[in-house]
Amino acid sequence: MSETARRLDAVPRACVLLAAALALLPLLLQLPATLAMTTGAVALFVTAASRRRPLAACVRLLRGGAVLAGVFWLMGTRMGRDTGCALLAAMLAIKPAETNTLRDARSLVGFALFAPFAAFLLDQGPASMVLGLLAALVALFCLQQLADAEAGLPTRASALRRFGGTARLVALGLPLLLAGFWLFPRIGTPLWGGPDR
């Protein structure tokens, strides 16, 4: 069994699930209340149901179809920004059922990072920014923990040490981010057109 196919321990799994939940939160705050509560409940149920062992493939397939049907029932069949964001939230809510190995955990964290960006399509207020920034920092922290787990380092190592490593990585990338923000022009209109939301 390869290192990335190894079963995920409890501590890295908890970190991954926390990162996914924090990434989902700003998006849930922008969705209609019924859909947001349903998506949150589905996420909690799926996480609890798949905690000890993975769900069977037929159950995962039925769950995916039910979630898609629920989103289209609540949002309507018209595709657009709102429906796309709702589908992203629903898919992120059911993804923990497939998170059992290090590779799955990395996939979930990477996939979860799309949620705060999708929330920015709906709202660019300070609450969305703070929640999105927090989600990104926790995701980086979590990826550091997954790298340590893959290297065979203890997963219960000091959180302060890991946070220091994550902070150094952010500090290394910050000059490039600022240069890209100030030096490269931004297009005033979207790359694709849409009549409304």
Side-chain angles (χ1 to χ4, degrees):
M1 180 182 293
S2 72
E3 285 296 312
T4 56
R6 190 177 59 196
R7 181 125 175 109
L8 197 60
D9 295 333
V11 173
R13 180 175 166 79
C15 184
V16 167
L17 294 174
L18 175 66
L22 287 175
L24 186 58
L25 182 61
L27 186 55
L28 287 180
L29 293 175
Q30 304 307 319
L31 294 177
T34 305
L35 183 61
M37 288 188 294
T38 304
T39 303
V42 166
L44 290 173
F45 174 75
V46 165
T47 301
S50 63
R51 189 181 67 180
R52 297 211 191 283
R53 59 186 167 89
L55 298 176
C58 62
V59 173
R60 289 195 315 252
L61 184 63
L62 286 173
R63 178 209 60 213
V67 165
L68 285 175
V71 167
F72 284 120
W73 180 67
L74 289 170
M75 296 295 293
T77 56
R78 183 168 178 241
M79 287 303 292
R81 179 176 60 179
D82 290 345
T83 306
C85 289
L87 284 171
L88 175 66
M91 288 187 289
L92 186 56
I94 62 175
K95 185 70 175 150
E98 302 167 352
T99 305
N100 302 304
T101 64
L102 287 172
R103 180 181 5 197
D104 297 337
R106 272 196 216 97
S107 172
L108 176 57
V109 172
F111 180 51
L113 285 173
F114 283 99
F117 301 132
F120 290 136
L121 292 174
L122 302 173
D123 176 57
Q124 297 173 359
S128 293
M129 189 191 81
V130 168
L131 290 172
L133 182 61
L134 178 65
L137 289 175
V138 170
L140 288 173
F141 177 82
C142 186
L143 288 172
Q144 177 72 42
Q145 188 170 30
L146 291 174
D148 289 351
E150 186 176 8
L153 299 173
T155 57
R156 296 188 187 270
S158 166
L160 188 59
R161 181 185 65 82
R162 269 203 188 93
F163 184 73
T166 302
R168 279 193 301 277
L169 291 174
V170 170
L172 283 171
L174 199 57
L176 183 62
L177 175 127
L178 294 173
F181 182 77
W182 279 315
L183 298 178
F184 291 96
R186 287 173 291 287
I187 300 171
T189 60
L191 296 176
W192 58 91
D196 57 10
R197 296 175 66 90

